[in-house]
Amino acid sequence: MMAGKYTHLDNQKVSGSVDSVPAVTDSGEVAIKFADSNLETFPPSQARGKISGGSRPPRDADDTFSKTSLGSDEAQPGGWFRSFTVDAYKPYFDVDTSDVLDRIKESLFPFKGSFTEKTASNPDLYGPFWICTTLIFVAAAIGTFVTYVAHELKNQEWNYDINLVTWSAGVFYGYVTIVPLGLYVILKYFSAPSGLVQLFCLYGYSLFVFIPALCLSVVPLEIFRWVIAGVAGFMSATFVALNLRAHIMSAGERWFFIVAAIFLLQVALSVVLKLYLFTVTV
Amino acid sequence: MSLTDTVPLHASSQSDIDEIENLINASVHSGPATVLPARPPSPPRAQIPPVWDTVKRDLSRIVSNLKLVVFPNPYREDPGKALRDWDLWGPFFFIVFLGLTLSWSASVKKSEVFAVAFAVLAAGAVILTLNVLLLGGQIIFFQSLSLLGYCLFPLDVGAVICLLKDNVILKVIVVCVTLAWSSWAAYPFMSSAVNPRRKALALYPVFLMYVSVGFLIIAID
């Protein structure tokens, strides 16, 4: 009863030095009012510096695998410096294991010609780089093994030739770097520009077929080796040519020459490999 | 009598006051040297620890890191956890040792063999780390270099065995065993650093590098 007597606790007023939570008022709202008390308050000012907006959990080596990198929050270093950061190349490695395996399988079927469409949106540099590196190792290993066996069969002195490694490194890395670059320039000249990374991707995956070819060439039959080299070269060259043909046709009348040149280059690579690695002079 | 007038003191208290004054004057005149130091004594001059202590400390750290990384330990609390106390001395020593062993076993072109081995291992470690970073993995660059270097220890052991015994079959077996051991040591760290869908993409290059080093060990005679 709101008689105004002091002994009644009025619902509107909260009196006393104790924080009190009044019961539900007549209006149905719950009003929580903290009277000024003598308690000290600790404002979070000291911690403000540590809590960033959106408080992310701390990152360490075995934390989440999220794609957002820390670099996305910082200001990017300007202009051409960016090409020296790791982040500039991350988009080209945005592939999963299944994607890479898929693309490798594509490269083994050269007559489909669908490789460029599949990789147009997401060309990767992982495949080309590691296929080349694997090829270097396989070429050096197989080449060494072949000469070793040949020398052993004739009971001759044999020494490991370390130059095989360096030579094959030069050939493969050079081929995958320079030929697509040259093609890129030529296509620009003929006003049918293609993405440079797409070309790297295409050439890199086209070399995959040489890995099984080299492994098979261990068989010491000369004819067999030539057949293998020919088939591998043909498959690889067709892969590249067919995938580029649709694009190069827009370059004008000279397109056939360009495609033929690409084809022949790849076959030449295969022949060079066969000759250098498997010509054993005992 | 106003309050400003000094009150004549009792004789004994006057003498006490005189005594105290004398003491104060004496201490002021004789300087701070006689004052008992209330501050702590000056710190002893820093001694340069003997070189042996530093070397011993580094060696013990290398050994403890090696035990963490390379040796089978079923009670490892978190196999994917990276080395806390990584260092680069251990990896450096293992890489150089492997290059030297290979160079020693080679009968021709010794310096080229060392150069190729060292370059492949050092550049390989850097490239492997970059590979994980590019795939979107979260690792610390030098910590990863350190770990990959420590995982070379089994291959070092294999190279020494192959140096001592020149039998091809034995070499192949020893290299296969040590290769598997090295890959086993590197596997938990590398696989936990990337997205599980890309695990094979990160692990394959590690395997490739160890296989190529193993091949070098077999082939060099």
Side-chain angles (χ1 to χ4, degrees):
Chain A
M1 165 163 132
M2 316 279 200
K5 289 185 187 165
Y6 295 133
T7 51
H8 286 260
L9 255 186
D10 204 83
N11 273 346
Q12 266 76 29
K13 291 197 294 256
V14 177
S15 61
S17 60
V18 179
D19 292 343
S20 56
V21 180
V24 180
T25 61
D26 293 340
S27 58
E29 295 165 18
V30 177
I32 301 177
K33 211 164 103 184
F34 295 102
D36 285 306
S37 61
N38 291 328
L39 294 173
E40 287 180 45
T41 54
F42 295 95
S45 54
Q46 308 95 302
R48 194 162 292 152
K50 292 177 201 153
I51 301 176
S52 56
S55 57
R56 285 187 300 248
R59 289 176 183 276
D60 62 23
D62 31 64
D63 205 26
T64 60
F65 322 109
S66 64
K67 281 189 186 176
T68 57
S69 63
L70 288 168
S72 58
D73 294 323
E74 303 154 11
Q76 297 291 350
W80 60 275
F81 283 135
R82 277 210 68 223
S83 60
F84 291 115
T85 63
V86 170
D87 285 339
Y89 296 99
K90 266 199 193 169
Y92 302 127
F93 281 78
D94 197 14
V95 279
D96 294 336
T97 311
S98 51
D99 293 334
V100 172
L101 288 176
D102 224 12
R103 292 175 187 192
I104 289 180
K105 271 190 279 214
E106 276 279 322
S107 79
L108 291 174
F109 297 103
F111 292 101
K112 272 200 202 160
S114 56
F115 185 82
T116 16
E117 295 141 41
K118 286 200 182 165
T119 61
S121 60
N122 190 14
D124 75 305
L125 288 176
Y126 177 91
F129 179 74
W130 287 110
I131 291 177
C132 281
T133 313
T134 311
L135 258 177
I136 290 168
F137 163 66
V138 169
I142 302 273
T144 309
F145 184 68
V146 160
T147 53
Y148 170 74
V149 164
H151 280 84
E152 281 293 303
L153 285 178
K154 305 222 171 138
N155 278 327
Q156 296 252 352
E157 187 70 30
W158 173 80
N159 282 313
Y160 179 65
D161 186 11
I162 196 92
N163 280 325
L164 264 179
V165 175
T166 47
W167 180 88
S168 52
V171 163
F172 287 116
Y173 282 140
Y175 188 82
V176 173
T177 320
I178 295 180
V179 172
L181 256 177
L183 188 62
Y184 176 73
V185 167
I186 291 177
L187 284 180
K188 270 224 146 145
Y189 176 73
F190 283 104
S191 53
S194 171
L196 183 60
V197 181
Q198 265 108 340
L199 287 176
F200 280 134
C201 186
L202 181 68
Y203 268 87
Y205 280 103
S206 76
L207 288 183
F208 176 77
V209 75
F210 287 117
I211 296 179
L214 282 174
C215 291
L216 279 176
S217 300
V218 180
V219 175
L221 279 175
E222 195 65 21
I223 291 291
F224 187 68
R225 284 181 183 164
W226 275 113
V227 165
I228 296 277
V231 167
F234 180 76
M235 276 176 72
S236 171
T238 327
F239 178 72
V240 175
L242 277 181
N243 275 300
L244 281 178
R245 187 179 63 148
H247 183 86
I248 297 183
M249 282 223 246
S250 60
E253 319 86 31
R254 304 277 188 98
W255 71 268
F256 182 73
F257 293 107
I258 302 178
V259 174
I262 296 173
F263 185 89
L264 288 175
L265 257 179
Q266 201 94 356
V267 174
L269 173 73
S270 174
V271 168
V272 162
L273 277 177
K274 156 76 182 80
L275 284 177
Y276 186 79
L277 291 171
F278 299 109
T279 306
V280 187
T281 50
V282 185
Chain B
M1 193 161 6
S2 70
L3 286 171
T4 55
D5 289 345
T6 54
V7 176
L9 290 171
H10 195 264
S12 62
S13 51
Q14 180 63 41
S15 67
D16 285 342
I17 289 175
D18 284 341
E19 222 177 84
I20 293 171
E21 269 186 358
N22 286 339
L23 274 175
I24 291 175
N25 288 336
S27 71
V28 164
H29 287 315
S30 57
T34 56
V35 176
L36 285 173
R39 57 186 159 83
S42 62
R45 206 179 48 182
Q47 312 243 351
I48 301 171
V51 176
W52 175 240
D53 279 351
T54 317
V55 171
K56 207 162 58 166
R57 191 186 62 217
D58 282 334
L59 277 177
S60 66
R61 188 172 54 191
I62 291 178
V63 169
S64 74
N65 279 344
L66 197 60
K67 281 202 281 231
L68 265 180
V69 173
V70 174
F71 289 105
N73 182 4
Y75 305 109
R76 257 199 278 198
E77 65 269 4
D78 186 359
K81 193 88 180 159
L83 274 181
R84 244 176 252 286
D85 198 12
W86 59 268
D87 70 307
L88 287 178
W89 275 119
F92 177 72
F93 176 71
F94 292 139
I95 292 180
V96 168
F97 183 76
L98 189 55
L100 281 176
T101 315
L102 284 175
S103 169
W104 198 337
S105 347
S107 36
V108 292
K109 295 188 185 164
K110 287 175 183 281
S111 50
E112 281 177 34
V113 167
F114 178 82
V116 169
F118 187 87
V120 164
L121 288 168
V126 171
I127 291 176
L128 286 173
T129 311
L130 278 179
N131 184 49
V132 171
L133 284 173
L134 283 167
L135 283 172
Q138 309 272 358
I139 50 169
I140 303 171
F141 185 75
F142 285 108
Q143 191 181 48
S144 164
L145 287 188
S146 169
L147 235 128
L148 286 170
Y150 275 109
C151 293
L152 275 179
F153 173 76
L155 282 169
D156 274 355
V157 169
V160 167
I161 297 178
C162 290
L163 174 67
L164 298 172
K165 278 274 187 193
D166 204 11
N167 184 351
V168 174
I169 306 287
L170 176 77
K171 276 188 184 180
V172 170
I173 296 176
V174 163
V175 164
C176 284
V177 167
T178 52
L179 193 107
W181 186 6
S182 279
S183 309
W184 174 88
Y187 174 84
F189 174 64
M190 279 303 195
S191 68
S192 64
V194 282
N195 192 325
R197 289 197 313 261
R198 303 185 177 183
K199 211 161 64 165
L201 294 184
L203 286 172
Y204 166 71
V206 178
F207 182 68
L208 179 68
M209 183 173 95
Y210 288 146
V211 164
S212 58
V213 170
F215 173 75
L216 263 183
I217 295 177
I218 298 179
I220 303 275
D221 62 355

